[in-house]
Amino acid sequence: MIEDVGALVTAESPTSDPAAVVHCATVLAALGTRLTGRSPEWLQDTGRPHLRWRFGSGDRVLLLGHLDTVWPVGSLATHPFAVEDGILRGPGCFDMKAGLVQLFHGLASLDDLDGVTVLVTSDEEAGSADSRALIEDEARRTRAVLVLEAAEDGALKTERKGASLYDLTITGRAAHAGLEPERGVNATTELAHQVLAVDGLTDRTAGTTVTPTVAGAGTTRNTVPHTASLQIDVRARTEREQWRVDAALRGLPCALDGAELTLTGGLNRPPLSAASSAGLFALAKELNAALGLGPLRGAAVGGGSDGNFAAGVGAPTLDGLGAVGGGAHADDEHVVVAELPARAALVAALVDELCGRSR
């Protein structure tokens, strides 16, 4: 399993690099074919590769993951693949290439894969715009979805907030800052008002965060700025809250006469509710104990995954079945080696149970 993780990690695959993503997909296709005896379908209608393995009807359980990472090509020079003292490191190892290895090694331990579909996409880190419809279609035709995203400190993801993403553009009027500033409409000043208004939409009691993130304005020191921009990140436990924030953002008033606001974006991922995962989580806890692997913990998190899309179309969904470790997207990204076979065994047990063959 370590060798297979190494092969995927060293096939660097930032979402934005098409050639790198195709290379990694080729490596993963060979790995999956070797372990399951079946080659994947390459789904490349838009030129971006997504891989699907279908075993028989493929309608009992969907195993979901992604091969793209946030790490640019060349990251291996500063973050080399390495294993030391039971800890595996390398760009993308935790999120989520080790999870893909666990997936295929788990399937390789089973005698019968009829009813299983595996879908591995290549644009999750950029919002899954290309693969969303594919994920939703596969989720609709299955009885359960298991997501091999990483497990921070081993906790499965039993609840994920929904995410909404927005860009706010502010248009003012330029003027000379020394000679006649009164003739201008200062987009930076309007931006300041909007940052505070956006931040005020947060409702922590409801679990909703509305965060102004990237901002910019102006051209030169002595010019009243005529444009400004603001990116906004929204996380919410319910779609009702997502829509509340959406309506509020679209109704933001200007603070300055003559300023104009333009908002683009909207709901990106629906929530993965505790109700979506409850039955599968109970089963996972039972099977983990039967395997002698100890108790399982669940966690509600703010980060989204493709599991949100599966839950959003009504499919029972359990997330976080991938690598145990930490440091996603960070310098200390790592995987606990001893947990690789343990989590692969749990995935295999879940698949067998959900396909009706273990009892």
Side-chain angles (χ1 to χ4, degrees), residues 12 73-81 91:
E12 295 176 289
V73 170
S75 296
L76 287 167
T78 54
H79 298 76
F81 174 75

Side-chain angles (χ1 to χ4, degrees), residues 132 136 140 159-164 166 206-208 210 234-248 266-274 276 307-315:
R132 177 175 181 170
E136 292 175 336
R140 288 188 185 99
E159 184 179 354
R160 286 187 183 273
K161 289 183 180 181
S164 305
Y166 298 90
T208 302
V210 185
V234 180
R235 306 292 168 127
R237 296 181 65 186
T238 66
E239 283 196 74
R240 181 176 181 177
E241 271 294 282
Q242 286 182 285
W243 285 116
R244 175 189 71 82
V245 174
D246 184 87
L267 278 66
N268 175 256
R269 282 183 166 90
L272 192 170
S273 70
S276 298
N308 292 63
F309 295 132
V313 297

Side-chain angles (χ1 to χ4, degrees), residues 196-215:
L196 295 175
V198 166
D199 186 69
L201 297 175
T202 288
D203 184 346
R204 297 195 183 280
T205 302
T208 302
T209 58
V210 185
T211 308
T213 56
V214 179

Side-chain angles (χ1 to χ4, degrees), residues 20-53:
V21 167
V22 169
H23 172 63
C24 185
T26 302
V27 173
L28 179 64
L31 187 157
T33 301
R34 170 171 59 83
L35 290 171
T36 68
R38 173 138 335 157
S39 299
E41 302 170 75
W42 285 69
L43 308 174
Q44 289 183 274
D45 290 345
T46 63
R48 174 174 288 280
H50 310 299
L51 303 180
R52 181 174 63 198
W53 283 260

